Amino acid sequence: MISMALRITTLAERPEFAATLWDMEHTWAQFVLNDPIADLYYPFVTTRHQHHVLVADDDAEPGRPVARACLIPYVSGGDGLPDDGWDGVIRAGWLARERGEKPDAVSALEITVRRDLQGRGLSALMVSALREHAARLGFRTLVAPVRPNHKHLEPHTPMSEYAFRTRPDGLPHDPWLRVHVRAGAEIVKVAPRSMVVPGTLAEWRAWTGLPFDRSGPVEVPGALTPVHCDVEHDHAVYVEPNVWVSHALT
């Protein structure tokens, strides 16, 4: 567990983090960073979403980020949690801002912990901080399209099976889902097309170092499901399922 003294604030409170927010050593696969829908949120973090990003540093190295967490308010439309998960809430949040609509829901988008500090309990602290911040913003529920962190070890297992697998103590089999449930979340359902990453074969080769020279499913390190490759038409598409969890805040 973490023993350092953390200071967790919004980016608005500490704008000096804007210059180094994306410099942390992380474990995100390159292809995940090329979801086109992300461009509706991440380029505007420092200008539109300062109040929706949490940054953490510690007493050992003040001013050096050790973790970040992002969320986005959006308009749910009363339709429940969308099947397009991560992409869906980013799109809905962007549309709400463009249309001047008041959001009625809020979703977490990511929690990233610096690579050298992973496995020390920081992620649980950031989940707790996100819950508290969402409540301060006036929301009664925080939802999250969770990317189970051990699912990539079983790319051919349906998410509908994996998401609800439990240990003998009743907690989720997956460690990241377990963190959320221990924090008070309920696993609601699978978002079957939460993140869609299309690319040419050249792009996928650059992102992964794999040949992408045969049509069919391609297992990619870090991917939760196989990538669909079509050599004849020069493209490959990754459709990632996530798991919707819901944190009641009251």
Side-chain angles (χ1 to χ4, degrees):
M1 292 297 291
I2 200 77
S3 60
M4 64 181 69
L6 283 185
R7 176 165 54 166
I8 303 175
T9 65
T10 65
L11 184 60
E13 293 170 301
R14 302 190 67 192
E16 66 271 20
F17 274 111
T20 58
L21 191 63
W22 313 115
D23 293 342
M24 286 191 304
E25 286 290 325
H26 60 79
T27 55
W28 293 106
Q30 183 62 34
F31 66 87
V32 174
L33 305 180
N34 283 278
D35 177 357
I37 296 298
D39 287 341
L40 297 179
Y41 179 86
Y42 285 91
F44 308 105
V45 160
T46 60
T47 56
R48 297 183 180 179
H49 294 289
Q50 309 97 309
H51 296 281
H52 306 141
V53 176
L54 299 181
V55 290
D57 66 343
D58 60 43
D59 55 354
E61 298 177 273
R64 183 186 180 192
V66 300
R68 68 171 181 260
C70 302
L71 52 75
I72 186 167
Y74 69 101
V75 174
S76 70
D79 297 327
L81 297 172
D83 288 339
D84 54 355
W86 199 82
D87 284 352
V89 292
I90 290 179
R91 185 185 300 109
W94 183 81
L95 286 172
R97 178 176 285 273
E98 291 297 305
R99 294 168 175 169
E101 299 172 340
K102 183 178 179 180
D104 62 351
V106 65
S107 175
L109 293 179
E110 68 159 280
I111 290 176
T112 298
V113 175
R114 206 172 72 201
R115 183 194 293 267
D116 61 313
L117 296 174
Q118 292 180 358
R120 297 178 59 185
L122 265 172
S123 60
L125 295 177
M126 296 304 289
V127 169
S128 178
L130 272 184
R131 287 169 54 100
E132 293 172 5
H133 187 57
R136 285 195 299 271
L137 292 174
F139 295 98
R140 301 181 62 185
T141 303
L142 170 68
V143 298
V146 173
R147 189 176 198 267
N149 64 348
H150 281 188
K151 175 64 173 70
H152 69 98
L153 301 174
E154 302 181 34
H156 294 281
T157 300
M159 186 65 89
S160 58
E161 173 188 334
Y162 183 90
F164 296 95
R165 187 186 302 167
T166 58
R167 307 189 309 183
D169 62 3
L171 288 171
H173 163 80
D174 184 81
W176 191 211
L177 287 172
R178 200 155 59 239
V179 169
H180 281 273
V181 170
R182 280 176 168 155
E186 173 191 2
I187 296 176
V188 181
K189 70 172 192 175
V190 171
R193 54 182 181 94
S194 189
M195 178 184 291
V196 179
V197 184
T200 64
L201 300 186
E203 287 173 325
W204 275 99
R205 290 169 187 142
W207 296 338
T208 66
L210 298 176
F212 276 89
D213 56 358
R214 298 179 63 182
S215 292
V218 178
E219 291 190 22
V220 172
L224 308 194
T225 59
V227 176
H228 303 277
C229 176
D230 189 326
V231 172
E232 182 180 1
H233 294 97
D234 188 27
H235 71 257
V237 180
Y238 174 58
V239 181
E240 177 172 295
N242 289 161
V243 181
W244 275 117
V245 305
S246 179
H247 292 260
L249 305 177
T250 56

